[in-house]
Amino acid sequence: MSPERAYADCPGQPVSLSQLTTLRLGGPARAFVRVTTTDDLVATLTRLDRAGEPTLLVGGGSNLVVSDDGFAGTVVQIANDEVRYDVAPDGAPRVVADAGADWDAVVADTVERNLGGLECLSGIPGAVGSTPVQNVGAYGVEIADVLDGVEVLDRADGTLRWITPSELALAYRTSALKHHDDRVVVRVAMRLTDDGLSAPIRYRELAHTLGVEQGERVPVAVVREQVLALRSGKGMVLDAADHDTWSAGSFFTNPIVTDDDLPHILEAIAARVGDVPVPRFAADGGVKLSAGWLIERAGFSRGHPDETASVRLSTKHTLAITNRGGATTEELLTLARQVRDGVEAAFGVRLEPEPVLVGCCL
C-alpha cells in the first residue's frame, strides 16, 4: 500500500514510519499530516512550529533511514504535486514542479514532450522536493546541471521566496539544504532543451549500452528506456515484489579522496586484489572512487551475508542495503557498519552514508 493510500484519511493520527519509507523500516510517529497544496504546507508548519511540535518532513521516503524508536513528533508528508511548463527569460523551456510531485512521473512527462535534460535521471524514486536537497544524480547528470531555481519556505518568518542555484552550495550528493530544516523546498524549476535530444552522454556504461561515444546526444526517449533498463538490472527501480528494491538506493556515496591519499589507497588495493584497474574519476577536491567496487573487493559480495538474513546487500548491486522482510533498522545499521568498517580496514577509505538518518546513526 502506498503512503498516500495508507494515511490520506487519518490526519493527526499516529503512524508507523515503515509505511512511509522505501526501506519499509522505522518505528512510530506521534501523528501524521498530509498536505496537498503549498498553502496547506505553510499553514501546517506554521501551526506546528508555533506549538513547539517536532516535525519530520517526508516526500517519497526513498532517502530515509528511520530508527526503530520512530519519531517523537508529527510527520508531515509533502504531497503538493502541480507541474507546469514555462519559458526562462533567455527563452529556454522550463518545468516547474511542486515539491510533492513524483520525480519519475515528471521525468517521464518531459520525455513525452520531447524535452531534454532529465532523461538520465529516470527511474529514481522519491519526490521532486528532495532532488535539490540531495543534488540527486545518476548516469553523468546531476540536478545542479539543470536547476534554475528553488522556491523555499522560510520557517523563521513563514515567507516564501525563490533562491538561485548559486545560493545552495550544490556539491556531490549534498547542498546547503541537507541536514537543515529551517528552509523547506516547496517548488523546483529546471531548465530543459527543446530539440528532442538528451544531455551529452557522459557516463561510460550508458554510452556503451547506447552504442555511442561519450559526449554524443541521443533522442530523449531512447536514453530514458536504456536508463530504466540499467537501473532495473541493479534493483534500483521500485518493485514491491522485488526485495532488492526495498532499500534507500545507494547506501554509501562514492568516496572522494585527496591526491595525497590516493597512492596509499592504491597500494592497499594492489596488496589485497593485485594490480588491477581501479575505477576512478576526477572530482572537486581529489579523485572519486567507486564505493560499490571497493565494497566488493573488501569481501562483501552481492547478497551478503547469506540468503537467510533479513537484511542483505542487494543480490544485484552491492551499494544497496536491502530489507528482505521482517527486518529492523538496527539490523540494517549493523550491516552498514560492518561494510563501512570492512572497507576502511581493507583500503583506508571511510564510506559515508547517502540517506538521511532519523533518530539513529552509524
Side-chain angles (χ1 to χ4, degrees), residues 74-85:
T74 296
V75 171
V76 178
Q77 187 180 49
I78 301 175
N80 56 336
D81 61 359
E82 181 183 355
V83 178
R84 61 181 173 85
Y85 292 83

Side-chain angles (χ1 to χ4, degrees), residues 182-193:
D182 54 330
R183 294 182 295 177
V184 178
V185 176
V186 299
R187 195 170 285 114
V188 179
M190 292 161 285
R191 298 170 62 87
L192 306 170
T193 57

